[in-house]
Amino acid sequence: MSLLEIRSLTVAYGKVVAVRDVDLTLEEGTVGVVVGVNGAGKSSLMNAVSGLAPVTSGSIHLRGQSITRRASHRIARAGVVQVPEGRRIFSPLSVEDNLLVGGHAVPAARRHDLLDRVYTLFPVLQERRRSTAGLLSGGQQQMVAFGRALMADPTVLLLDEPSMGLAPVMVDVVVEAVRSIAADGLSVLMVEQNAHAAFSVADTAHVLENGVVVASGPAAQIREDPRVVRAFLGIDVDAAAG
């Protein structure tokens, strides 16, 4: 049994179908990436998993239990937590208060351990823990959003465009954080348009075109498929391999 199983999932907004009959699985302790051009349905897929987009048909199961159409807060408590596109931190609050908000439903003893974990993962957040979060750089705000999600003690972490708008050095920090938490056993499903970043950390890859999965399998295999790379990722195969 896979940790996360998505079967025949369709997401529609009125008459507009954003995701159609998608099948996708995520195993324990692995990183899955969903790639495709803008408008392919990537964020709609993620939002459906986290309860933020309407599921027209199909199912989503976590460890064999259906979370299809549950309220988003119940999905989060079940262990599926999303870092949304655009970070959406609480700008007036301090860095540490932002993190503690993420762990509000976690027992106090566990919350302390999780905070230590976040600070180990992102040392700059510990240095800036008393700073107003809205005054941080974009990269540091992304770390806050990432850390806030980890404070909820998830089983599956959903990352929606984590590298968007970040300088290359900060993209590397995010990629290393994903690699580190996966090594600790946390499963990650991420939407990412930065193909280099996505394939450097992913175990499996799924390519969406117009809401439909057109390629799925081991990330190394998908990355080497010239048709997929040129048509859906917009990068040169030889350059990607270099």
Side-chain angles (χ1 to χ4, degrees):
M1 180 189 303
S2 299
L3 174 61
L4 183 70
E5 295 188 42
I6 300 171
R7 296 299 180 202
S8 302
L9 188 72
T10 296
V11 178
Y13 305 92
K15 295 182 179 180
V16 178
V17 178
V19 174
R20 187 186 303 275
D21 293 327
V22 165
D23 291 330
L24 187 153
T25 59
L26 182 69
E27 305 299 331
E28 298 257 9
T30 65
V31 178
V33 65
V34 180
V35 292
V37 299
N38 282 333
K42 304 185 301 296
S43 291
S44 291
L45 173 61
M46 298 286 274
N47 288 338
V49 175
S50 61
L52 299 174
V55 174
T56 305
S57 61
S59 64
I60 306 165
H61 286 78
L62 178 68
R63 288 203 171 108
Q65 297 296 313
S66 176
I67 58 172
T68 316
R69 300 187 184 89
R70 282 192 192 180
S72 57
H73 69 278
R74 291 186 60 208
I75 292 174
R77 288 179 181 174
V80 180
V81 178
Q82 182 170 351
V83 179
E85 180 183 340
R87 300 182 279 274
R88 302 182 193 175
I89 64 170
F90 300 105
S91 297
L93 300 184
S94 70
V95 167
E96 189 157 294
D97 283 344
N98 266 271
L99 298 176
L100 292 175
V101 165
H104 75 280
V106 177
R110 178 60 176 158
R111 190 161 58 241
H112 178 77
D113 291 341
L114 290 167
L115 189 61
D116 284 346
R117 181 190 189 192
V118 171
Y119 285 153
T120 298
L121 198 61
F122 301 117
V124 69
L125 296 187
Q126 185 169 26
E127 296 170 9
R128 304 291 304 274
R129 64 187 182 277
R130 304 300 178 199
S131 300
T132 301
L135 299 180
L136 301 182
S137 69
Q140 290 170 348
Q141 288 184 19
Q142 183 64 61
M143 293 180 199
V144 172
F146 202 135
R148 182 181 61 194
L150 292 176
M151 288 294 295
D153 205 9
T155 302
V156 176
L157 186 65
L158 305 177
L159 301 176
D160 194 351
E161 301 284 8
S163 75
M164 180 178 288
L166 299 185
V169 65
M170 295 309 303
V171 173
D172 291 341
V173 170
V174 169
V175 168
E176 284 305 313
V178 172
R179 187 174 287 117
S180 177
I181 63 175
D184 287 341
L186 180 60
S187 301
V188 179
L189 182 62
M190 62 189 290
V191 160
E192 184 55 72
Q193 276 206 295
N194 184 324
H196 299 283
F199 284 107
S200 71
V201 71
D203 298 295
T204 58
H206 314 273
V207 182
L208 277 181
E209 181 190 17
N210 296 324
V212 177
V213 173
V214 296
S216 186
Q221 176 182 320
I222 299 299
R223 176 175 179 155
E224 293 172 3
D225 184 328
R227 179 187 62 85
V228 170
V229 172
R230 291 197 178 102
F232 304 114
L233 305 184
I235 59 175
D236 181 79
V237 179
D238 295 331

